């Protein structure tokens, strides 16, 4: 099955984020894996992308831990965002905490963080299937700069 994917670039203004996140640690693995797979399962199933559950392994996450930022509430992980170079990736929010502004807060944190380090352009990739995410990105200063079938 073909997947339509968009590359989006941040074209908004300066963002200040006061969100306090911490970096991923191996202690987070099982909670992170559960949320990651929960977030991508519906899309991967609909798009027939296998394996359906595709969270990176412990070793790979350990190598990326300085680039993965964890959002907690009351000592529980509810979301995460990764920043790899000039790309925002793996923005995830636990299903029960979605539609409460956490995804937008994670996105704004990532843009603010990248701006503070003078990273440009700021990009992300999103499947056309994920219209909720696309609407959030558009609302927050991102524009589609490329669409391709993968």
């Amino acid at each position: 099955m073909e997947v339509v994917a968009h590359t989006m670039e941040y074209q908004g203004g300066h963002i200040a984020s006061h969100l306090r996140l911490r970096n991923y640690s191996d202690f987070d693995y099982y909670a992170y894996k559960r949320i990651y797979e929960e977030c991508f399962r519906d899309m991967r199933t609909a798009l027939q992308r296998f394996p359906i559950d595709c969270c990176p392994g412990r070793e790979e996450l350990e190598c990326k831990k300085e680039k993965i930022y964890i959002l907690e509430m009351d000592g529980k992980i509810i979301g995460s965002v990764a920043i790899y170079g000039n790309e925002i990736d793996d923005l995830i929010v636990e299903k029960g905490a979605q539609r409460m502004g956490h995804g937008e807060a994670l996105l704004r944190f990532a843009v603010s963080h990248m701006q503070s380090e003078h990273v440009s352009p700021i990009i992300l990739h999103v499947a056309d299937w994920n219209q909720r995410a696309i609407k959030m990105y558009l609302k927050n200063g991102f524009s589609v700069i490329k669409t391709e079938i993968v």
Side-chain angles (χ1 to χ4, degrees):
M1 173 177 249
E2 295 179 336
V3 176
V4 177
H6 304 290
T7 300
M8 300 183 80
E9 181 178 323
Y10 183 70
Q11 298 178 341
H14 178 74
I15 291 183
S17 171
H18 303 291
L19 193 63
R20 295 180 151 268
L21 303 180
R22 64 172 177 80
N23 288 103
Y24 171 89
S25 75
D26 187 60
F27 178 78
D28 300 318
Y29 179 71
Y30 291 107
Y32 180 88
K33 180 180 188 317
R34 179 184 56 77
I35 295 167
Y36 186 99
E37 291 180 349
E38 178 182 83
C39 285
F40 289 109
R41 187 171 292 127
D42 290 346
M43 179 182 69
R44 291 182 67 83
T45 300
L47 298 176
Q48 299 177 5
R49 307 310 290 171
F50 301 102
I52 297 297
D53 291 331
C54 62
C55 182
R58 283 184 105 128
E59 300 78 19
E60 185 177 344
L61 290 171
E62 183 66 23
C63 291
K64 298 177 178 181
K65 68 183 178 184
E66 297 301 319
K67 298 171 194 238
I68 301 171
Y69 299 89
I70 300 292
L71 174 62
E72 290 180 306
M73 286 186 70
D74 302 322
K76 180 182 170 195
I77 297 173
I78 62 162
S80 179
V81 64
I83 300 171
Y84 303 118
N86 71 326
E87 182 179 354
I88 298 171
D89 198 15
D90 295 336
L91 195 160
I92 57 174
V93 176
E94 183 175 41
K95 290 268 189 199
Q98 290 180 0
R99 297 185 178 245
M100 297 176 175
H102 301 301
E104 190 169 341
L106 285 163
L107 180 66
R108 293 177 61 81
F109 166 85
V111 170
S112 176
H113 180 79
M114 295 165 87
Q115 286 177 333
S116 72
E117 297 196 350
H118 308 288
V119 173
S120 181
I122 297 171
I123 64 165
L124 56 80
H125 296 91
V126 60
D128 189 68
W129 181 92
N130 197 348
Q131 286 294 309
R132 271 184 34 207
I134 291 169
K135 287 176 185 165
M136 179 184 71
Y137 299 147
L138 291 169
K139 177 181 149 196
N140 283 279
F142 281 82
S143 297
V144 174
I145 59 167
K146 182 179 176 183
T147 299
E148 58 191 330
I149 298 173
V150 292

